[in-house]
Amino acid sequence: MSQSSPRIALVTGASSGFGRAIAQRLVADGIRVIATARRRDRLDALRSELGDQLLPLVLDVTDAEAVAALPGALPDGWREVDVLVANAGLALGLGPAHEAKPEDWARMIATNVSGVTTTVRALLPGMVARDRGHVITIGSIAGTYPYPGGNVYGATKAFVAQFALNLRADLVGTGVRVSNLEPGLVGGSEFSNVRFNDDDRAAKVYENAEPLLPEDIAETVSWVLSLPARVNINRVELMPVTQASAALAVKRKG
């Protein structure tokens, strides 16, 4: 762990998948972690595993009032959050836009866009005041490469990528860094199970594909944080070697 590494990190969506792996890795790196999610039982299990270096905190990032109150609600000794990993997010459905459920679109926007912006807004003033910190957003290659059925999910991740770049523009001259991680195909999480609400269909997404794992994302977070304070990694795009960006689609008649 470098001298520039933070003392306290807050990880959203820490009850499973990326968030859980990131919390585990940061604690292993010697960083104290505030792990937030909606599922208390999952957070308590993580606390039992990692000990008093982890503070479990039930939080729904779509609850704007709760997120805004977060800095003042943290216990003494946990309030100087040096790193925010804005990980909470989801995809719902893979149908074409004209068949999508409006409520699914609304939930993705509420979580992937509003949840990220409100969490950043809550914690960023403290980082700027202390002149240190690192905001890490979890984007996706879906924000760069469109695919059928990606519609609003991909748009939310494109928003996250641009939001991260604009944060950097605002933060020039401060000691606060911003990085957006953009993974491709990652297995070992609940992402596709939530997207399809069908475990068998979710399993087929990764069948014989050798995808990335949540631990790979956690390793990337650890690396970005370990660099000297003068270094800002704007974005990291990562895919398994079994994946590449697709060719442009051509619909042929006849």
Side-chain angles (χ1 to χ4, degrees), residues 120-198:
V120 169
R121 183 61 183 81
L123 294 174
L124 192 59
M127 294 183 188
V128 173
R130 294 186 292 273
D131 199 32
R132 69 174 190 269
H134 202 142
V135 174
I136 298 178
T137 52
I138 304 297
S140 168
I141 63 168
T144 302
Y145 308 108
Y147 59 85
N151 44 72
V152 166
Y153 174 70
T156 65
K157 293 305 185 178
F159 174 93
V160 169
Q162 191 63 29
F163 179 54
L165 291 175
N166 279 304
L167 285 174
R168 278 296 304 138
D170 287 343
L171 294 167
V172 169
T174 77
V176 182
R177 303 188 286 181
V178 184
S179 305
N180 188 46
L181 306 190
E182 303 169 16
L185 186 68
V186 186
S189 77
E190 299 175 345
F191 178 83
S192 289
N193 305 76
V194 171
R195 180 171 221 168
F196 300 126
N197 194 28
D198 182 331

Side-chain angles (χ1 to χ4, degrees), residues 10 16 18 29-30 39 41-42 44 46 77 81 88 99 109 111 124 136 139 148 151 154 156 160 164 185-186 192 243:
L10 188 144
S16 64
F18 293 6
D29 286 346
R39 292 177 287 189
D41 59 331
R42 297 283 190 94
D44 288 344
L46 194 58
V81 176
E99 297 177 1
I109 292 168
T111 306
L124 192 59
I136 298 178
N151 44 72
T156 65
V160 169
L185 186 68
V186 186
S192 289
Q243 185 182 40

